[in-house]
Amino acid sequence: MSVRHTLTALHRSCTRRGAASSLRRAISTETDLTLELEELGGAPLPSNDILAAELPRPTIAFADDVPAGMRHVLEMKLKRERFSALKGQFYGLGSTQTRENTWQPHHELHRPAHPSELTLSALMAAGAHLGHSKALLNPAFAPYAYGTRAGITIINLDTTLPLLRRAAALVRAVALHDGTVVFVGTRPDLKVIVEKAAQRMAQNAYHVGDRWLPGTLTNRVQVFGPNTSLAKRVIPDLVVFLNPIANLTAIRECAVSHVPTVGIIDSNIDPRIVMYPIPANDESTRTAELVAGVLSIAGREGNELRRTEIDEVTEIRAEMEAEERARSAERKFRQPS
């Protein structure tokens, strides 16, 4: 009964790919039982077993002069060989899905997709299509509404996807020209999102996660001081709002300071309050993670393109200077003494 129970555990552990520890324990137990049965003169394992039919059974026959330590080493070697054979036989069976190639809820925050890889299904899975009640529908939002269902406005994701990619191209262009981007998300659940987005763009991005200080742009001399406001560039080149309805003061300051704005616009908001609207659910944390992640990935790509261009220009300039030095040396050599 114990042998049969061990074989059942062995088959179950082999059918699940990646359960190497369970498989190793099952093999070790089954091998020990086999050796114990052979020593006691018991019956061998059933011959119709798939493992017994296709894989050789470990046979251990030591001479009397083999030390006990060497016997243990040889036994472990046989067990490893049998485990490798089992692994090779069952490697092609089962599912190929792993934690790395299967979607996980934390991927939108820590491993966002590239703008070119973004799909409508990803937006729908994040809940970006859910708007507010149809009674709260803003008339200016009508071109971005698909319809209503159960009294809820459904956002047309066919318009959201190209507008999100347009915003990503804008962020990439700003980073390519060494511009600065500010991510604003003043809800508690958005603080980590804007921090992650700013970290991906390194020195070309900043974040506001607690509260937008009124006068940050329009009264920057009093906020930052005269020396800082004159010596450093305190006005950003682009501001991204993840919850624009709670940051209308910041949006007005951006309009006065002629700073372009990108914002997640829900069905109860006028899309014209920002320059580049992204119609989506602004109350969904997963939607904010997806939007901020896509934009920050585009910004990081712009930084990499800028560094590549700088390296190419530096290399070309070095080659031109080397050629100029070579021509100057050749002219000096040809001049008569």
Side-chain angles (χ1 to χ4, degrees), residues 212-221 223-224 249 253:
W212 179 276
L213 184 63
T216 300
L217 300 181
T218 56
N219 196 19
R220 55 186 177 275
V221 177
V223 174
F224 299 101
T249 302
E253 292 187 18

Coordinates of all heavy atoms in Angstrom, one line a residue, residues 212-221 223-224 249 253:
W212 N -0.9 69.8 -4.8 CA -0.3 70.8 -5.7 C -0.3 72.1 -4.9 O -1.4 72.6 -4.6 CB -1.0 70.9 -7.0 CG -0.5 72.0 -7.9 CD1 -0.8 73.3 -7.9 CD2 0.4 71.8 -9.0 NE1 -0.1 73.9 -8.9 CE2 0.7 73.0 -9.5 CE3 1.1 70.7 -9.4 CZ2 1.5 73.2 -10.6 CZ3 2.0 70.8 -10.5 CH2 2.2 72.1 -11.1
L213 N 0.8 72.7 -4.7 CA 0.9 74.0 -4.0 C 0.5 75.1 -4.9 O 1.1 75.3 -5.9 CB 2.3 74.2 -3.5 CG 2.6 75.5 -2.6 CD1 1.7 75.4 -1.3 CD2 4.0 75.7 -2.3
P214 N -0.6 75.8 -4.6 CA -1.1 76.9 -5.4 C 0.0 77.9 -5.6 O 0.7 78.3 -4.7 CB -2.3 77.5 -4.7 CG -2.7 76.4 -3.8 CD -1.5 75.6 -3.4
G215 N 0.2 78.4 -6.9 CA 1.2 79.3 -7.2 C 2.5 78.7 -7.6 O 3.5 79.5 -7.7
T216 N 2.6 77.4 -7.7 CA 3.8 76.8 -8.1 C 4.4 77.3 -9.4 O 5.6 77.5 -9.6 CB 3.6 75.3 -8.2 OG1 3.2 74.8 -6.9 CG2 4.9 74.6 -8.5
L217 N 3.5 77.6 -10.4 CA 3.9 78.1 -11.7 C 3.7 79.6 -11.8 O 4.6 80.3 -12.3 CB 3.2 77.3 -12.8 CG 3.4 75.8 -12.8 CD1 2.6 75.2 -14.0 CD2 4.9 75.5 -13.0
T218 N 2.6 80.1 -11.3 CA 2.2 81.5 -11.5 C 2.9 82.4 -10.5 O 3.1 83.6 -10.8 CB 0.7 81.7 -11.5 OG1 0.2 81.1 -10.2 CG2 0.0 80.9 -12.6
N219 N 3.3 81.9 -9.4 CA 4.0 82.7 -8.3 C 5.3 82.0 -7.9 O 5.6 81.8 -6.7 CB 3.0 82.8 -7.1 CG 3.5 84.0 -6.2 OD1 4.3 84.8 -6.6 ND2 3.0 83.9 -5.0
R220 N 6.0 81.5 -8.9 CA 7.2 80.7 -8.7 C 8.3 81.5 -7.9 O 9.2 80.9 -7.3 CB 7.7 80.1 -10.0 CG 8.0 81.1 -11.0 CD 8.4 80.4 -12.3 NE 8.6 81.4 -13.4 CZ 7.6 81.8 -14.2 NH1 6.4 81.5 -14.0 NH2 7.9 82.7 -15.2
V221 N 8.4 82.8 -8.1 CA 9.4 83.6 -7.4 C 9.2 83.5 -5.9 O 10.2 83.4 -5.1 CB 9.4 85.0 -7.9 CG1 10.4 85.9 -7.1 CG2 9.7 85.1 -9.4
V223 N 7.5 81.0 -4.3 CA 7.5 79.6 -3.9 C 8.9 79.1 -3.9 O 9.4 78.5 -2.9 CB 6.6 78.8 -4.8 CG1 6.8 77.3 -4.5 CG2 5.2 79.2 -4.7
F224 N 9.7 79.3 -4.9 CA 11.1 78.8 -5.0 C 12.2 79.8 -4.6 O 13.3 79.3 -4.4 CB 11.3 78.3 -6.5 CG 10.4 77.2 -7.0 CD1 9.4 77.5 -7.8 CD2 10.6 75.9 -6.6 CE1 8.5 76.5 -8.3 CE2 9.8 74.9 -7.0 CZ 8.7 75.2 -7.9
T249 N -6.8 73.7 -10.1 CA -5.9 74.9 -9.9 C -4.6 74.7 -10.7 O -4.1 75.6 -11.3 CB -5.7 75.0 -8.4 OG1 -6.9 75.2 -7.7 CG2 -4.8 76.2 -8.1
E253 N -3.1 76.9 -13.8 CA -1.7 77.5 -13.8 C -0.9 77.0 -15.0 O -0.2 77.8 -15.6 CB -1.0 77.0 -12.5 CG -1.5 77.7 -11.2 CD -0.7 77.3 -10.0 OE1 0.5 76.9 -10.2 OE2 -1.2 77.5 -8.9

